[in-house]
């Protein structure tokens, strides 16, 4: 029997200090144990109210490196802020990683939320949704035709050309990481996938069911068959040694207990029955040992 849904893992962001060899080991291990995808957060810095400032590796550079050292897993940002680069530059980066990975790239997209990193790196934080709408139009046109001229309120693009072209016809799949009503109206007619972060639904089946109902209604309002949208979610999973992990907003949600492979397999099977086609596990802790510990769960789920 085929696996009931694809299963990926988010690699470390700022949970602890790491090096590229650590990330490479975890990406290779994810592939070896049978995971379907590897994901990276797209953030630049965090300035928490308590504790020292922190920052992860730059996501696009790291995804290109992961693409070069893996052969099978899908790769994507969870999710990329369209405000961190000009739209043609995002299309260029996505097409390049799609080439390096031979068509294994998924472009997760959002409008961002962390004002401090926008200010710190000199990006405008105003009108984020309107900027997102223009950026999405430009990226889609470049993926579809390889060129774009666009004169809008925020972006002035004069004959941008996309070389090399993506391996995937029409460009990498687009995955929206938002449930805001305006964002849904803008993106649902065009994206192939949608993602919910665990604090969006409280990390519970009941919360997820309510959010999926909202997405169904938004699809219908956008004159789209809800069944054509691949729904994904990023549940927080406690592994051996987990000590708790707060969301970027500071909210703490109860984790799914992943220490028992059978229990975790049953939980993921239940999410598949609810209509999810892909999950990106947010492991606590996220270490090689935690990734290796997923192998018995994957075998059970496949069986």
């Amino acid at each position: 029997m085929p696996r009931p849904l694809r299963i990926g893992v988010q690699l470390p962001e700022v949970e602890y200090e790491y090096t590229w060899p650590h990330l490479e080991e975890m990406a290779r291990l994810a592939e070896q144990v049978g995971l379907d995808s590897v994901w990276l957060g797209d953030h630049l810095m965090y300035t928490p109210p308590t504790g020292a400032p922190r920052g992860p590796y730059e996501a696009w550079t790291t995804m290109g490196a992961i693409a070069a050292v893996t052969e099978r897993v899908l790769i994507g940002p969870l999710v990329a802020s369209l405000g961190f680069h000009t739209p043609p530059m995002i299309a260029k980066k996505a097409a390049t990683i799609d080439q390096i990975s031979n068509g294994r790239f998924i472009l997760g997209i959002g409008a961002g939320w962390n004002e401090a990193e926008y200010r710190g790196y000199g990006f405008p934080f105003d009108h984020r949704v309107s900027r997102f709408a223009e950026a999405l139009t430009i990226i889609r046109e470049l993926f579809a035709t390889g060129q774009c001229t666009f004169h809008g309120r925020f972006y002035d693009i004069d004959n941008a050309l996309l070389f090399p072209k993506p391996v995937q016809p029409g460009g990498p799949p687009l995955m929206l990481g938002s449930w805001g009503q305006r964002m849904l109206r803008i993106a649902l007619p065009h994206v192939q996938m949608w993602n919910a972060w665990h604090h969006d639904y409280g990390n519970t089946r009941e919360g997820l069911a309510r959010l999926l109902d909202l997405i169904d209604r938004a699809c219908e309002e956008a004159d789209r068959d809800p069944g054509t949208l691949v729904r994904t979610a990023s549940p927080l999973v406690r592994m051996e040694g987990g000590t708790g992990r707060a969301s970027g907003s500071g909210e703490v949600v109860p984790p799914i207990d992943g220490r028992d492979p059978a229990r975790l397999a049953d939980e993921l099977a239940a999410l598949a029955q609810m209509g999810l086609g892909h999950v990106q596990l947010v492991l606590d802790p996220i270490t090689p040992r935690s990734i290796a510990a997923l192998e018995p769960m994957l075998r059970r789920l496949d069986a």
Side-chain angles (χ1 to χ4, degrees):
M1 293 179 62
R3 185 171 292 176
L5 78 173
R6 284 176 165 167
I7 302 173
V9 65
Q10 186 192 41
L11 295 186
E13 190 174 50
V14 292
E15 292 82 357
Y16 54 87
E17 291 188 12
Y18 52 80
T19 64
W20 162 244
H22 296 142
L23 295 179
E24 179 183 11
E25 177 187 8
M26 283 183 271
R28 289 182 183 271
L29 185 58
E31 192 162 71
Q32 291 168 10
V33 302
L35 287 166
D36 299 296
S37 58
V38 170
W39 302 82
L40 288 175
D42 182 24
H43 284 283
L44 304 172
M45 67 181 203
Y46 289 99
T47 53
T50 60
R54 300 168 295 165
Y57 276 26
E58 196 281 320
W60 291 91
T61 310
T62 309
M63 288 188 292
I66 290 172
V69 300
T70 56
E71 298 178 354
R72 180 186 54 78
V73 289
L74 302 171
I75 301 163
L78 195 64
V79 293
S81 170
L82 296 193
F84 286 171
H85 308 277
T86 65
M89 198 69 224
I90 290 176
K92 180 81 167 181
K93 290 171 179 286
T96 299
I97 297 176
D98 204 49
Q99 282 279 343
I100 295 171
S101 67
N102 194 29
R104 293 184 284 126
F105 188 66
I106 297 172
L107 178 51
I109 54 174
W113 59 269
N114 185 2
E115 183 174 359
E117 60 189 344
Y118 278 77
R119 302 301 185 198
Y121 278 75
F123 302 127
F125 193 69
D126 63 320
H127 305 290
R128 284 175 298 128
V129 177
S130 296
R131 293 177 188 275
F132 173 91
E134 289 192 4
L136 178 59
T137 298
I138 295 165
I139 292 167
R140 289 178 50 243
E141 183 66 22
L142 284 167
F143 281 170
T145 69
Q147 61 184 24
C148 180
T149 293
F150 181 93
H151 303 293
R153 179 181 175 189
F154 303 105
Y155 296 106
D156 194 24
I157 306 301
D158 188 9
N159 194 32
L161 302 176
L162 184 60
F163 296 102
K165 290 182 169 56
V167 171
Q168 299 178 81
L174 297 170
M175 182 182 76
L176 176 67
S178 174
W179 54 279
Q181 290 300 302
R182 189 175 168 210
M183 290 284 284
L184 293 173
R185 287 195 298 270
I186 291 167
L188 280 183
H190 310 295
V191 299
Q192 291 75 43
M193 305 171 68
W194 167 85
N195 172 258
W197 189 249
H198 50 79
H199 75 76
D200 294 336
Y201 60 94
N203 212 41
T204 67
R205 294 186 204 173
E206 295 77 14
L208 181 60
R210 289 191 293 270
L211 194 51
L212 292 176
D213 285 343
L214 183 152
I215 298 303
D216 282 346
R217 294 194 300 272
C219 283
E220 292 165 357
E221 291 171 3
D223 197 25
R224 174 173 183 165
D225 177 2
T228 64
L229 182 70
V230 178
R231 296 112 187 291
T232 82
S234 304
L236 177 63
V237 179
R238 180 187 178 190
M239 304 298 288
E240 197 66 42
T243 58
R245 171 174 168 168
S247 69
S249 62
E251 179 185 1
V252 178
V253 300
I256 296 169
D257 192 344
R259 293 170 294 181
D260 180 351
R263 181 175 179 180
L264 181 56
D266 290 345
E267 179 67 26
L268 296 181
L271 296 182
Q273 291 176 349
M274 294 177 64
L276 293 189
H278 203 141
V279 293
Q280 303 95 343
L281 303 179
V282 182
L283 302 181
D284 174 31
I286 172 58
T287 61
R289 180 181 178 185
S290 295
I291 293 174
L294 295 173
E295 188 171 15
M297 177 275 293
L298 293 171
R299 290 200 303 267
R300 183 180 179 89
L301 195 64
D302 290 344

